[in-house]
Amino acid sequence: MSAPVVVWLRRDLRVEDHPAFAAAAAHGGPVVPLFVVDPELVRALPSDGALFDFQAACLADLEAGLQRRGGGLIVRTGPPVDVVPAVAREAGAVAVIFQADTDPYARARDAAVVRALHAQGTRAQMLPPELLVAPDAVAPRGGGVYRVFGAYRRAWARQVKPLPAPTPRRLHTPPLPSEPLPTAARLGKTRAPMRWAIAPGETAARHRWAAFLREGLAAYADRRDRLDLDDATSRLSPHLRFGTIAVARLWADLQDALADPARHRGAARFVEELAWRDFFHHLLHHVPTLAERSLRPDFDTFPWENREDLFAAWTEGRTGEPLVDAALRQLVTTGWIPNRARLVAASYLVKQLLVDWRWGERFFRRYLLDGDLAANAGNWQWVAGSGVDPRPLRIFSPARQAARFDPTGAYRRAWAPEPREALVDAAARAAEFRARYRRWHADLRR
Ligand SMILES: Cc1cc2nc3c(=O)[nH]c(=O)nc-3n(C[C@H](O)[C@H](O)[C@H](O)COP(=O)(O)OP(=O)(O)OC[C@H]3O[C@@H](n4cnc5c(N)ncnc54)[C@H](O)[C@@H]3O)c2cc1C
C-alpha cells in the first residue's frame, strides 16, 4: 500500500469537491485530515468566541462526513510550523497537501511550514486558494495590482475557472491521537450569546445552495438589495469563508443557471459578486496592509473626528438612525447582515460620524461569521473612498436608503423598533464631512 498523505485543512472545511482530498486519494494510500489550532491566530483574530464555535460546528460536520467515508479528523494545537511536520513524521507521510491562502499571516506561516517539511524530506503540495481566479493570475499591463474593478473584471472573465474536484468515496485514516474540537470555551474565548443567521457545516451549505438555486436565484438581481425580504441573497458568505462549500461547485451550477432563461439574469448578477470576492483577494495578495493603511496613502492624513462616544453608540445600535441601529444589532445578534445594511452602516460611521474606517473594519470582523480580511477591508475602503474605485464624496442618506430598500419597514421593525432621537443630524454631518474633505484636499494640493 502507498504511504500516507496529510491533508492540512484551513479554510476548506468540507469533504466534497475538495481538491486536496482528490489529490490525496490519487496517491492511493491512507489520508490524514489534519486541523491545526494555531494559538497565535486564536490570539490575534479580533473575532468574538461565536466565530470559533461556528468553526467548531463546521469541523464536527466535517468529521462526521469523513467518518461516513471510513476516515477521521485529527485535531492538534500548536504552531503549524511545528505541528504539521510532526504529524507528517508520526504518520510516516510522504506529502502534505493544502490550499493556499491570500491572508498575509497565512502566507508567511505557509512558507515557514513548507521550509520545515522540505527540511525533513516531506513533500509539500500547495494547491490554488478557494477562488475562481488565483490572485496572481491576472495583472494590468506593466504588472502589479488592479485598482479599478471594471478592468479587473474583464481580465477575470477571460480566465478558465476550476472544475469541482472529484469526491473520494472511501478514505482510510491511520489511528493517531487527536484533541477535542476547538470550541470557544476550550480556547478561552469570551462568547456573546448569538443566534447564528446561518447554519454551520458542509451539509447545511449544500442544502442552502440547493434551496437558493431553486427558489432564490431567479429573482436575485432584483431582490438582493431588499432588506425587508427574507432570503433575498444566498447567505453563503460564512460557508465561503470556511470553505464548507466549494466555489468551483457554485461556478459549475451557475453555468447551468446561466443557460436557463428564467435564471440567467440572477445567475449573471451572482457571478458578478463572486468576481468582487476574487477582486478583493487579488488586492490583499498585492497589498498585505489592506486593513491597516488606506490604498490612497494621502487618505491616512484625513482629520477624522474619532469621537469615542459616537463610535460606542454605533457599535451598540443606539445612534437613533433606525436602519444603522438595525444593522448593528443584527450583526452582534446573528453574526451576519445583508450587503445593503453593511453599506449604509459603514458609510454612516465614516461620513456622518466621522470615524476612521479602520475602527469599523475591526469591529465588523469581530462579529461577522463571514469576517474575512480581504472582503471586509476591501469593502470598508471602498465605502470610505480610500480604496478601489474611490468616490469619497458619495454619502448614503440612511433615511433615503431605508425608504428605498426597506420600503415596508419590516427590517427596521425587526431590529430597531423603538423610536429614538438621532444623536446627530445626518444631513448636517454629511455636509460637515464634505466641507472637511474639501478643506483637507485643498491643503494637500498646496
Ligand atoms: C462594509 C462591508 C464589509 C463587508 N465585509 C465582508 C466580509 O468580511 N466577508 C464577506 O464575505 N463579505 C463582506 N462584505 C461583502 C458582502 O456584504 C457579503 O459578502 C454579503 O453580504 C454576504 O451575503 P450573501 O452570502 O447572502 O451574499 P450574496 O449576495 O448571495 O453573494 C454571494 C457571494 O458573493 C460574495 N460577495 C457578495 N458581495 C460581495 C462584495 N461586495 N465583496 C466581496 N464579496 C462579495 C460573497 O462571497 C457572497 O457570499 C462586506 C461588505 C461591506 C459593504
Side-chain angles (χ1 to χ4, degrees):
M1 193 192 239
S2 313
V5 167
V6 174
V7 171
W8 179 20
L9 297 153
R10 299 105 61 87
R11 291 179 59 154
D12 46 0
L13 305 184
R14 63 175 191 279
V15 194
E16 293 211 355
D17 308 324
H18 195 299
F21 279 128
H27 277 259
V31 178
V32 181
L34 171 68
F35 184 81
V36 181
V37 181
D38 177 353
E40 175 53 25
L41 210 53
V42 172
R43 191 195 58 74
L45 277 178
S47 315
D48 181 76
L51 190 88
F52 292 96
D53 278 343
F54 189 86
Q55 176 176 265
C58 292
L59 286 167
D61 191 52
L62 167 64
E63 187 171 35
L66 289 165
Q67 285 168 351
R68 276 197 303 278
R69 291 168 174 86
L73 177 68
I74 308 299
V75 177
R76 295 286 176 89
T77 302
V81 68
D82 300 328
V83 174
V84 177
V87 171
R89 284 197 304 275
E90 265 177 68
V94 283
V96 174
I97 310 179
F98 60 97
Q99 286 186 271
D101 195 332
T102 57
D103 182 290
Y105 172 80
R107 286 171 68 189
R109 173 199 63 196
D110 293 351
V113 170
V114 169
R115 280 195 299 275
L117 288 169
H118 285 164
Q120 68 177 30
T122 310
R123 199 157 61 81
Q125 189 179 347
M126 181 151 63
L127 303 176
E130 277 287 324
L131 299 170
L132 288 171
V133 171
D136 51 357
V138 290
R141 203 171 297 149
V145 59
Y146 282 101
R147 284 166 187 267
V148 176
F149 176 69
Y152 171 83
R153 172 74 179 83
R154 285 190 288 281
W156 181 90
R158 288 193 290 272
Q159 295 296 309
V160 176
K161 313 295 186 295
L163 293 171
T167 305
R169 257 187 281 167
R170 300 289 303 164
L171 287 171
H172 168 64
T173 302
L176 289 172
S178 180
E179 299 167 9
L181 296 178
T183 56
R186 277 193 58 80
L187 298 175
K189 280 269 172 184
T190 52
R191 180 204 194 295
M194 207 185 247
R195 300 194 310 264
W196 294 327
I198 284 121
E202 172 174 22
T203 313
R206 275 204 308 276
H207 287 151
R208 176 70 201 144
W209 177 233
F212 185 72
L213 277 174
R214 231 179 17 249
E215 290 148 23
L217 190 60
Y220 175 72
D222 300 318
R223 290 165 45 114
R224 59 185 287 277
D225 275 319
R226 282 288 293 273
L227 296 167
D228 54 342
L229 302 177
D230 267 344
D231 292 348
T233 64
S234 72
R235 298 194 179 207
L236 282 179
S237 49
H239 292 300
L240 289 165
R241 156 73 179 77
F242 286 100
T244 40
I245 197 156
V247 71
R249 165 59 52 201
L250 305 190
W251 181 258
D253 292 343
L254 285 166
Q255 301 317 297
D256 295 339
L258 284 167
D260 169 4
R263 292 185 301 164
H264 177 85
R265 239 183 102 240
R269 183 67 219 209
F270 201 88
V271 165
E272 210 59 20
E273 302 313 317
L274 295 180
W276 272 104
R277 175 173 181 265
D278 282 5
F279 179 44
F280 288 128
H281 282 278
H282 164 80
L283 206 58
L284 180 64
H285 174 84
H286 288 284
V287 187
T289 54
L290 193 62
E292 290 139 40
R293 291 211 279 278
S294 298
L295 264 183
R296 266 181 63 186
D298 57 3
F299 214 87
D300 283 341
T301 65
F302 185 80
W304 301 107
E305 219 175 62
N306 285 347
R307 270 177 56 185
E308 303 268 1
D309 59 333
L310 291 182
F311 180 62
W314 182 82
T315 62
E316 290 160 18
R318 50 177 183 80
T319 65
E321 200 57 72
L323 184 51
V324 174
D325 291 347
L328 268 296
R329 292 179 197 184
Q330 187 187 19
L331 172 65
V332 298
T333 313
T334 73
W336 183 86
I337 38 175
N339 185 60
R340 178 57 51 180
R342 296 184 202 207
L343 285 170
V344 177
S347 169
Y348 189 76
L349 181 72
V350 174
K351 293 177 179 170
Q352 270 109 345
L353 300 184
L354 275 70
V355 171
D356 192 324
W357 63 266
R358 285 167 285 212
W359 295 26
E361 192 278 332
R362 208 168 161 80
F363 186 79
F364 261 33
R365 253 191 306 132
R366 178 163 163 209
Y367 288 99
L368 280 173
L369 294 175
D370 62 28
D372 170 75
L373 198 62
N376 200 46
N379 274 291
W380 271 93
Q381 292 225 36
W382 185 87
V383 171
S386 62
V388 292
D389 299 313
R391 284 178 59 193
L393 294 180
R394 171 187 38 213
I395 303 182
F396 293 123
S397 147
R400 260 183 269 131
Q401 291 281 311
R404 187 158 167 217
F405 299 113
D406 183 24
T408 63
Y411 183 70
R412 281 161 292 165
R413 274 196 305 281
W415 294 104
E418 80 287 1
R420 233 176 221 276
E421 203 179 321
L423 293 179
V424 300
D425 174 339
R429 296 286 291 183
E432 160 67 17
F433 177 84
R434 283 199 183 90
R436 233 174 228 247
Y437 183 87
R438 291 198 176 105
R439 273 199 308 274
W440 165 75
H441 205 248
D443 285 349
L444 278 183
R445 300 274 159 271
R446 277 204 197 111

